Amino acid sequence: MSIWSSLWTGTSGLQAHGEAISVVGDNIANVSTIGYKGARAGFDDVVADVAANGQRLGQGVTMRGPEVSFVQGSLQQTGRPFDLAIRGRGFFITQGSHRGEDGYYYTRDGRFFLDNEGRLVNPEGLRVQGYMANPAGQIATAMTDLTMGGESPPSATTSLSMTVNLDANGAIPPPWNPANAGQTSNFATSMTVYDSIGAPHRVDVFFRKSGAGAWDWHALVDGSEITGGVKGTPVEIASGSLTYTNTGALNTQTTNFSTTNFVNAQPGQSIAFNFGDAIAAGGTGLAGSTQFAGSSDITAVSQDGFSAGMLVDVSVSDDGTINGRFSNGQSRKMARLALAQFRSEQGLQRQGDQLFTATNASGEVLIGPAGSGGTGSVAGGSLETSNVDLGNELVTLIAYQRAFSANAKTVSTADEMLVELANLKR
Protein backbone atom coordinates (compact mmCIF):
# COMPACT_ATOMS: atom_id res chain seq x y z
CA MET A 1 0.00 0.00 0.00
CA SER A 2 1.45 3.37 -1.00
CA ILE A 3 1.51 6.52 1.05
CA TRP A 4 -1.11 7.93 -1.29
CA SER A 5 -3.34 4.97 -0.49
CA SER A 6 -2.85 5.60 3.22
CA LEU A 7 -3.94 9.19 2.66
CA TRP A 8 -7.13 8.14 0.90
CA THR A 9 -7.78 5.39 3.47
CA GLY A 10 -7.62 7.91 6.30
CA THR A 11 -9.83 10.29 4.34
CA SER A 12 -12.47 7.59 3.88
CA GLY A 13 -12.43 7.04 7.65
CA LEU A 14 -12.95 10.75 8.23
CA GLN A 15 -15.87 10.86 5.84
CA ALA A 16 -17.51 7.68 7.11
CA HIS A 17 -17.26 8.62 10.78
CA GLY A 18 -18.35 12.17 10.04
CA GLU A 19 -21.50 10.75 8.47
CA ALA A 20 -21.89 8.31 11.36
CA ILE A 21 -21.75 11.19 13.84
CA SER A 22 -24.59 12.84 11.92
CA VAL A 23 -26.66 9.65 12.40
CA VAL A 24 -26.01 9.72 16.15
CA GLY A 25 -26.75 13.44 16.21
CA ASP A 26 -30.06 12.81 14.46
CA ASN A 27 -30.96 10.21 17.09
CA ILE A 28 -30.05 12.53 19.96
CA ALA A 29 -32.01 15.40 18.39
CA ASN A 30 -35.11 13.18 18.17
CA VAL A 31 -34.89 11.63 21.62
CA SER A 32 -38.20 13.35 22.50
CA THR A 33 -39.95 12.86 19.13
CA ILE A 34 -43.12 10.76 19.40
CA GLY A 35 -42.98 7.62 17.27
CA TYR A 36 -39.39 8.23 16.18
CA LYS A 37 -37.33 5.18 15.26
CA GLY A 38 -33.62 5.55 15.87
CA ALA A 39 -30.96 4.45 13.39
CA ARG A 40 -27.42 3.18 13.56
CA ALA A 41 -24.55 3.71 11.15
CA GLY A 42 -23.65 0.70 9.01
CA PHE A 43 -20.00 0.47 7.96
CA ASP A 44 -18.46 -1.57 5.11
CA ASP A 45 -14.79 -2.05 4.38
CA VAL A 46 -13.38 -1.18 0.95
CA VAL A 47 -10.77 -3.37 -0.80
CA ALA A 48 -8.38 -2.53 -3.64
CA ASP A 49 -5.55 -4.43 -5.36
CA VAL A 50 -4.35 -7.94 -4.53
CA ALA A 51 -1.31 -8.07 -2.28
CA ALA A 52 1.70 -10.33 -2.70
CA ASN A 53 0.18 -13.01 -0.46
CA GLY A 54 -2.98 -13.15 -2.52
CA GLN A 55 -5.11 -11.15 -0.11
CA ARG A 56 -6.74 -7.95 -1.30
CA LEU A 57 -5.49 -4.76 0.27
CA GLY A 58 -7.86 -2.65 2.28
CA GLN A 59 -8.58 0.84 1.04
CA GLY A 60 -10.61 2.29 3.87
CA VAL A 61 -14.24 2.29 4.86
CA THR A 62 -17.59 3.53 3.64
CA MET A 63 -20.79 4.14 5.54
CA ARG A 64 -23.45 2.05 3.85
CA GLY A 65 -26.25 4.14 5.31
CA PRO A 66 -28.37 4.43 8.44
CA GLU A 67 -30.12 1.23 9.55
CA VAL A 68 -33.45 2.07 11.23
CA SER A 69 -34.32 0.17 14.39
CA PHE A 70 -38.01 -0.68 14.76
CA VAL A 71 -37.66 -1.77 18.37
CA GLN A 72 -40.74 -0.91 20.42
CA GLY A 73 -40.56 2.42 22.24
CA SER A 74 -42.05 2.84 25.69
CA LEU A 75 -45.69 3.92 25.99
CA GLN A 76 -46.60 7.23 27.57
CA GLN A 77 -50.13 7.73 28.87
CA THR A 78 -51.76 11.01 27.86
CA GLY A 79 -55.45 10.46 28.56
CA ARG A 80 -56.44 11.99 25.21
CA PRO A 81 -58.86 9.65 23.39
CA PHE A 82 -57.27 9.97 19.95
CA ASP A 83 -53.67 9.59 21.15
CA LEU A 84 -52.94 6.02 20.04
CA ALA A 85 -49.98 3.68 20.29
CA ILE A 86 -49.26 0.20 18.92
CA ARG A 87 -48.05 -2.60 21.16
CA GLY A 88 -46.12 -4.94 18.89
CA ARG A 89 -45.76 -4.90 15.12
CA GLY A 90 -47.56 -2.73 12.67
CA PHE A 91 -47.99 0.82 11.44
CA PHE A 92 -50.90 3.21 11.34
CA ILE A 93 -51.99 3.91 7.77
CA THR A 94 -52.49 7.47 6.58
CA GLN A 95 -53.34 8.88 3.18
CA GLY A 96 -52.94 12.28 1.61
CA SER A 97 -50.34 14.71 0.32
CA HIS A 98 -47.01 15.00 2.11
CA ARG A 99 -44.47 17.47 0.75
CA GLY A 100 -46.27 17.51 -2.57
CA GLU A 101 -46.51 13.72 -2.97
CA ASP A 102 -49.88 11.95 -2.75
CA GLY A 103 -50.03 8.41 -1.45
CA TYR A 104 -50.17 6.14 1.55
CA TYR A 105 -47.82 6.81 4.45
CA TYR A 106 -47.12 4.54 7.42
CA THR A 107 -46.27 5.73 10.89
CA ARG A 108 -45.97 4.78 14.56
CA ASP A 109 -46.78 8.34 15.60
CA GLY A 110 -50.36 8.16 16.91
CA ARG A 111 -51.02 11.84 17.61
CA PHE A 112 -54.39 12.00 15.90
CA PHE A 113 -57.25 14.47 16.11
CA LEU A 114 -60.43 15.43 14.25
CA ASP A 115 -60.24 18.06 11.52
CA ASN A 116 -63.01 20.52 10.63
CA GLU A 117 -64.75 17.84 8.57
CA GLY A 118 -64.75 15.29 11.38
CA ARG A 119 -62.00 13.16 9.80
CA LEU A 120 -59.33 11.55 11.95
CA VAL A 121 -55.99 13.02 10.83
CA ASN A 122 -52.36 13.24 11.95
CA PRO A 123 -50.47 16.51 12.64
CA GLU A 124 -49.62 16.81 8.90
CA GLY A 125 -53.29 16.52 7.94
CA LEU A 126 -52.96 13.01 6.49
CA ARG A 127 -56.16 11.01 6.87
CA VAL A 128 -56.08 7.93 9.11
CA GLN A 129 -57.38 4.77 7.42
CA GLY A 130 -59.63 2.06 8.80
CA TYR A 131 -63.04 0.45 8.56
CA MET A 132 -66.20 2.42 9.26
CA ALA A 133 -69.22 1.01 11.09
CA ASN A 134 -72.87 1.52 10.16
CA PRO A 135 -75.42 2.86 12.71
CA ALA A 136 -76.03 -0.72 13.86
CA GLY A 137 -72.34 -1.10 14.76
CA GLN A 138 -71.44 -3.50 11.92
CA ILE A 139 -67.87 -2.98 10.69
CA ALA A 140 -67.34 -2.60 6.93
CA THR A 141 -64.71 -4.61 5.05
CA ALA A 142 -63.50 -1.81 2.73
CA MET A 143 -60.76 0.50 4.07
CA THR A 144 -61.52 4.21 3.94
CA ASP A 145 -60.96 7.51 5.75
CA LEU A 146 -62.18 7.43 9.35
CA THR A 147 -64.84 10.03 10.07
CA MET A 148 -66.11 10.59 13.58
CA GLY A 149 -68.96 12.67 14.97
CA GLY A 150 -72.55 12.86 13.86
CA GLU A 151 -75.56 11.81 15.86
CA SER A 152 -76.94 8.70 17.42
CA PRO A 153 -80.39 8.34 15.80
CA PRO A 154 -83.44 8.30 18.10
CA SER A 155 -85.40 5.20 18.95
CA ALA A 156 -89.11 5.12 19.77
CA THR A 157 -90.21 3.53 23.03
CA THR A 158 -91.59 0.05 22.39
CA SER A 159 -91.61 -1.38 25.92
CA LEU A 160 -92.05 0.04 29.38
CA SER A 161 -91.46 -1.79 32.66
CA MET A 162 -92.76 -0.67 36.00
CA THR A 163 -92.48 -2.14 39.50
CA VAL A 164 -94.97 -0.86 42.05
CA ASN A 165 -96.54 -1.94 45.29
CA LEU A 166 -100.25 -1.23 45.44
CA ASP A 167 -101.83 -0.87 48.87
CA ALA A 168 -103.89 -4.00 49.53
CA ASN A 169 -106.07 -2.03 51.98
CA GLY A 170 -106.88 0.77 49.56
CA ALA A 171 -110.51 1.80 49.11
CA ILE A 172 -112.34 1.52 45.80
CA PRO A 173 -112.61 5.04 44.35
CA PRO A 174 -115.41 6.45 42.15
CA PRO A 175 -115.68 5.20 38.53
CA TRP A 176 -112.67 6.03 36.34
CA ASN A 177 -112.79 9.47 34.71
CA PRO A 178 -109.75 10.64 32.64
CA ALA A 179 -110.80 14.25 33.14
CA ASN A 180 -110.66 13.75 36.91
CA ALA A 181 -107.95 11.09 37.12
CA GLY A 182 -106.63 12.13 40.52
CA GLN A 183 -109.98 11.69 42.23
CA THR A 184 -110.90 8.42 40.49
CA SER A 185 -107.65 6.52 41.15
CA ASN A 186 -105.64 5.34 44.15
CA PHE A 187 -102.07 5.93 42.99
CA ALA A 188 -100.21 7.59 40.09
CA THR A 189 -96.68 7.85 38.77
CA SER A 190 -95.03 9.46 35.76
CA MET A 191 -92.28 8.66 33.31
CA THR A 192 -90.92 9.81 29.94
CA VAL A 193 -91.28 7.94 26.65
CA TYR A 194 -89.95 8.83 23.19
CA ASP A 195 -91.57 8.86 19.76
CA SER A 196 -90.02 7.95 16.39
CA ILE A 197 -88.31 11.35 15.99
CA GLY A 198 -86.88 11.27 19.49
CA ALA A 199 -89.28 13.77 21.06
CA PRO A 200 -89.93 13.11 24.76
CA HIS A 201 -93.45 12.76 26.13
CA ARG A 202 -94.60 12.60 29.72
CA VAL A 203 -96.86 9.63 30.46
CA ASP A 204 -98.90 9.54 33.68
CA VAL A 205 -99.95 6.06 34.79
CA PHE A 206 -102.90 5.85 37.19
CA PHE A 207 -103.81 2.78 39.23
CA ARG A 208 -107.44 2.27 40.37
CA LYS A 209 -108.59 -0.48 42.68
CA SER A 210 -111.63 -2.20 41.18
CA GLY A 211 -112.14 -5.01 43.70
CA ALA A 212 -110.38 -7.38 46.06
CA GLY A 213 -107.01 -8.14 44.49
CA ALA A 214 -108.07 -6.40 41.25
CA TRP A 215 -106.72 -3.17 39.78
CA ASP A 216 -107.08 -1.19 36.55
CA TRP A 217 -104.32 0.95 35.13
CA HIS A 218 -104.57 3.86 32.69
CA ALA A 219 -101.75 5.69 30.80
CA LEU A 220 -102.50 9.34 29.93
CA VAL A 221 -100.70 12.08 28.00
CA ASP A 222 -101.66 15.70 27.44
CA GLY A 223 -103.79 16.25 24.36
CA SER A 224 -101.27 18.73 22.88
CA GLU A 225 -98.88 15.83 22.25
CA ILE A 226 -101.38 13.76 20.28
CA THR A 227 -102.44 14.38 16.69
CA GLY A 228 -105.87 15.99 16.87
CA GLY A 229 -105.71 16.41 20.64
CA VAL A 230 -106.49 19.52 22.69
CA LYS A 231 -103.98 21.06 25.08
CA GLY A 232 -104.99 20.57 28.69
CA THR A 233 -107.26 17.64 27.90
CA PRO A 234 -105.73 14.27 28.87
CA VAL A 235 -105.81 11.48 26.29
CA GLU A 236 -105.66 7.82 27.29
CA ILE A 237 -103.05 5.96 25.19
CA ALA A 238 -103.10 2.59 27.00
CA SER A 239 -105.05 0.71 29.68
CA GLY A 240 -105.24 -2.73 31.25
CA SER A 241 -105.77 -4.65 34.44
CA LEU A 242 -103.79 -6.42 37.18
CA THR A 243 -104.88 -9.16 39.57
CA TYR A 244 -103.12 -10.37 42.71
CA THR A 245 -103.29 -13.46 44.89
CA ASN A 246 -104.23 -13.27 48.57
CA THR A 247 -100.49 -13.28 49.33
CA GLY A 248 -99.93 -10.12 47.30
CA ALA A 249 -98.25 -11.80 44.30
CA LEU A 250 -99.01 -10.63 40.77
CA ASN A 251 -101.31 -13.24 39.24
CA THR A 252 -102.24 -11.80 35.83
CA GLN A 253 -101.60 -8.68 33.79
CA THR A 254 -103.56 -7.68 30.68
CA THR A 255 -103.49 -4.79 28.22
CA ASN A 256 -106.78 -3.60 26.73
CA PHE A 257 -105.13 -1.36 24.14
CA SER A 258 -101.87 0.53 23.65
CA THR A 259 -101.51 2.78 20.64
CA THR A 260 -100.94 6.47 20.05
CA ASN A 261 -100.25 9.02 17.34
CA PHE A 262 -97.72 11.50 18.68
CA VAL A 263 -97.52 14.81 16.79
CA ASN A 264 -95.22 14.70 13.71
CA ALA A 265 -94.10 11.15 14.57
CA GLN A 266 -94.77 7.74 13.09
CA PRO A 267 -98.48 7.03 13.72
CA GLY A 268 -99.71 3.98 15.57
CA GLN A 269 -96.87 3.78 18.09
CA SER A 270 -97.51 0.87 20.44
CA ILE A 271 -95.90 0.53 23.85
CA ALA A 272 -95.87 -2.79 25.69
CA PHE A 273 -96.50 -2.17 29.40
CA ASN A 274 -94.96 -4.74 31.73
CA PHE A 275 -95.61 -4.81 35.47
CA GLY A 276 -93.69 -7.94 36.48
CA ASP A 277 -93.50 -11.74 36.28
CA ALA A 278 -97.14 -12.76 36.57
CA ILE A 279 -97.86 -16.25 37.86
CA ALA A 280 -100.16 -16.92 34.89
CA ALA A 281 -97.17 -16.33 32.60
CA GLY A 282 -94.95 -18.77 34.51
CA GLY A 283 -93.39 -16.30 36.94
CA THR A 284 -93.23 -16.08 40.71
CA GLY A 285 -95.46 -13.05 40.92
CA LEU A 286 -93.04 -11.44 43.36
CA ALA A 287 -90.21 -10.16 41.12
CA GLY A 288 -92.25 -7.18 39.93
CA SER A 289 -95.39 -5.43 41.05
CA THR A 290 -97.03 -6.60 44.26
CA GLN A 291 -100.08 -5.90 46.43
CA PHE A 292 -98.93 -5.76 50.04
CA ALA A 293 -100.38 -3.87 52.96
CA GLY A 294 -98.86 -0.43 53.24
CA SER A 295 -98.69 2.68 51.15
CA SER A 296 -98.57 2.43 47.38
CA ASP A 297 -95.11 3.17 46.06
CA ILE A 298 -93.04 2.98 42.86
CA THR A 299 -89.72 1.09 43.16
CA ALA A 300 -88.45 0.78 39.58
CA VAL A 301 -89.27 2.06 36.13
CA SER A 302 -87.54 1.74 32.77
CA GLN A 303 -88.22 2.08 29.05
CA ASP A 304 -86.20 1.35 25.89
CA GLY A 305 -86.58 4.57 23.91
CA PHE A 306 -84.19 7.49 23.62
CA SER A 307 -83.76 10.80 21.85
CA ALA A 308 -81.13 11.72 19.27
CA GLY A 309 -77.68 12.28 20.74
CA MET A 310 -74.43 13.98 19.80
CA LEU A 311 -71.02 12.35 20.17
CA VAL A 312 -69.49 13.36 23.51
CA ASP A 313 -66.67 10.88 24.04
CA VAL A 314 -64.78 8.03 22.38
CA SER A 315 -62.67 5.13 23.57
CA VAL A 316 -60.40 2.77 21.65
CA SER A 317 -60.17 -0.91 22.54
CA ASP A 318 -57.15 -3.19 22.10
CA ASP A 319 -58.35 -4.43 18.71
CA GLY A 320 -58.54 -0.88 17.37
CA THR A 321 -62.31 -0.57 17.65
CA ILE A 322 -63.38 3.03 18.21
CA ASN A 323 -66.46 3.19 20.44
CA GLY A 324 -68.55 6.34 20.62
CA ARG A 325 -70.57 7.54 23.60
CA PHE A 326 -73.43 9.92 22.87
CA SER A 327 -75.30 12.54 24.86
CA ASN A 328 -78.42 10.35 24.91
CA GLY A 329 -76.57 7.72 26.92
CA GLN A 330 -76.10 5.34 24.01
CA SER A 331 -72.81 3.74 22.94
CA ARG A 332 -71.92 1.99 19.71
CA LYS A 333 -69.01 0.93 17.54
CA MET A 334 -68.02 3.68 15.12
CA ALA A 335 -64.95 2.31 13.32
CA ARG A 336 -61.95 0.01 13.56
CA LEU A 337 -58.38 1.03 12.83
CA ALA A 338 -56.42 -0.64 10.05
CA LEU A 339 -52.76 -1.52 10.61
CA ALA A 340 -50.06 -2.32 8.06
CA GLN A 341 -47.05 -4.59 8.25
CA PHE A 342 -44.23 -5.50 5.87
CA ARG A 343 -41.98 -8.47 5.27
CA SER A 344 -38.95 -6.19 5.56
CA GLU A 345 -39.36 -3.12 7.71
CA GLN A 346 -35.75 -2.22 6.89
CA GLY A 347 -36.85 -1.70 3.29
CA LEU A 348 -39.20 1.16 4.23
CA GLN A 349 -38.11 4.63 3.18
CA ARG A 350 -38.12 7.52 5.65
CA GLN A 351 -40.11 10.55 4.52
CA GLY A 352 -39.74 12.78 7.55
CA ASP A 353 -42.38 13.61 10.17
CA GLN A 354 -42.11 9.99 11.40
CA LEU A 355 -43.60 8.77 8.12
CA PHE A 356 -42.48 5.85 5.96
CA THR A 357 -43.38 4.71 2.45
CA ALA A 358 -43.26 1.24 0.97
CA THR A 359 -40.55 0.28 -1.54
CA ASN A 360 -39.64 -2.83 -3.52
CA ALA A 361 -37.20 -3.66 -0.73
CA SER A 362 -39.94 -3.60 1.92
CA GLY A 363 -42.27 -5.89 -0.03
CA GLU A 364 -45.99 -5.48 -0.50
CA VAL A 365 -47.95 -3.98 2.35
CA LEU A 366 -50.14 -6.37 4.37
CA ILE A 367 -53.23 -4.61 5.70
CA GLY A 368 -55.74 -5.80 8.26
CA PRO A 369 -57.57 -4.81 11.43
CA ALA A 370 -55.53 -4.22 14.54
CA GLY A 371 -54.77 -7.39 16.46
CA SER A 372 -55.05 -9.67 13.42
CA GLY A 373 -52.51 -11.29 11.12
CA GLY A 374 -49.59 -10.67 13.44
CA THR A 375 -50.21 -6.97 13.99
CA GLY A 376 -50.06 -5.59 17.49
CA SER A 377 -52.79 -4.24 19.72
CA VAL A 378 -53.77 -0.60 20.07
CA ALA A 379 -53.42 1.36 23.29
CA GLY A 380 -55.88 4.24 23.51
CA GLY A 381 -54.92 7.39 25.39
CA SER A 382 -51.20 6.61 24.96
CA LEU A 383 -48.31 7.50 22.68
CA GLU A 384 -45.18 5.57 21.75
CA THR A 385 -42.09 7.56 22.65
CA SER A 386 -38.81 7.58 20.74
CA ASN A 387 -36.90 4.30 21.00
CA VAL A 388 -33.57 6.15 21.25
CA ASP A 389 -31.45 5.24 24.29
CA LEU A 390 -29.69 8.49 25.08
CA GLY A 391 -26.98 6.85 27.17
CA ASN A 392 -25.99 4.46 24.38
CA GLU A 393 -26.00 7.28 21.86
CA LEU A 394 -23.61 9.38 23.93
CA VAL A 395 -21.22 6.42 24.30
CA THR A 396 -21.41 5.79 20.55
CA LEU A 397 -20.81 9.47 19.88
CA ILE A 398 -17.60 9.37 21.91
CA ALA A 399 -16.46 6.24 20.07
CA TYR A 400 -17.09 7.84 16.66
CA GLN A 401 -15.35 11.03 17.77
CA ARG A 402 -12.24 9.07 18.76
CA ALA A 403 -12.36 7.11 15.51
CA PHE A 404 -12.61 10.38 13.60
CA SER A 405 -9.58 11.74 15.48
CA ALA A 406 -7.62 8.55 14.82
CA ASN A 407 -8.37 8.75 11.09
CA ALA A 408 -7.32 12.39 11.13
CA LYS A 409 -4.04 11.22 12.63
CA THR A 410 -3.68 8.75 9.74
CA VAL A 411 -4.14 11.57 7.24
CA SER A 412 -1.71 13.89 9.02
CA THR A 413 0.90 11.10 9.31
CA ALA A 414 0.58 10.28 5.61
CA ASP A 415 0.93 13.98 4.83
CA GLU A 416 4.10 14.24 6.93
CA MET A 417 5.52 11.23 5.14
CA LEU A 418 4.81 12.79 1.76
CA VAL A 419 6.54 16.00 2.86
CA GLU A 420 9.54 13.99 4.06
CA LEU A 421 9.60 12.07 0.78
CA ALA A 422 9.52 15.33 -1.17
CA ASN A 423 12.43 16.68 0.88
CA LEU A 424 14.61 13.71 -0.12
CA LYS A 425 15.13 15.33 -3.53
CA ARG A 426 16.67 18.47 -2.07
Side-chain angles (χ1 to χ4, degrees), residues 92-98 101-107 126-129 143-145 342 351 355-358 365 367:
F92 296 114
I93 306 171
T94 62
Q95 185 183 25
S97 179
H98 180 254
E101 293 290 334
D102 289 332
Y104 287 98
Y105 296 87
Y106 309 97
T107 184
L126 299 179
R127 304 180 301 277
V128 180
Q129 302 295 291
M143 188 174 71
T144 185
D145 299 344
F342 300 86
Q351 298 295 336
L355 299 173
F356 297 87
T357 52
V365 60
I367 298 176

Side-chain angles (χ1 to χ4, degrees), residues 218-290:
H218 305 269
L220 306 181
V221 297
D222 188 79
S224 62
E225 302 186 46
I226 302 298
T227 301
V230 178
K231 184 176 182 180
T233 301
V235 176
E236 192 164 330
I237 64 170
S239 69
S241 61
L242 306 171
T243 64
Y244 296 88
T245 66
N246 55 11
T247 61
L250 179 63
N251 188 33
T252 64
Q253 58 177 328
T254 60
T255 300
N256 299 329
F257 72 94
S258 176
T259 184
T260 184
N261 300 321
F262 288 118
V263 175
N264 297 323
Q266 182 74 28
Q269 179 174 342
S270 178
I271 301 175
F273 284 76
N274 178 28
F275 295 92
D277 63 337
I279 295 173
T284 64
L286 298 173
S289 297
T290 55

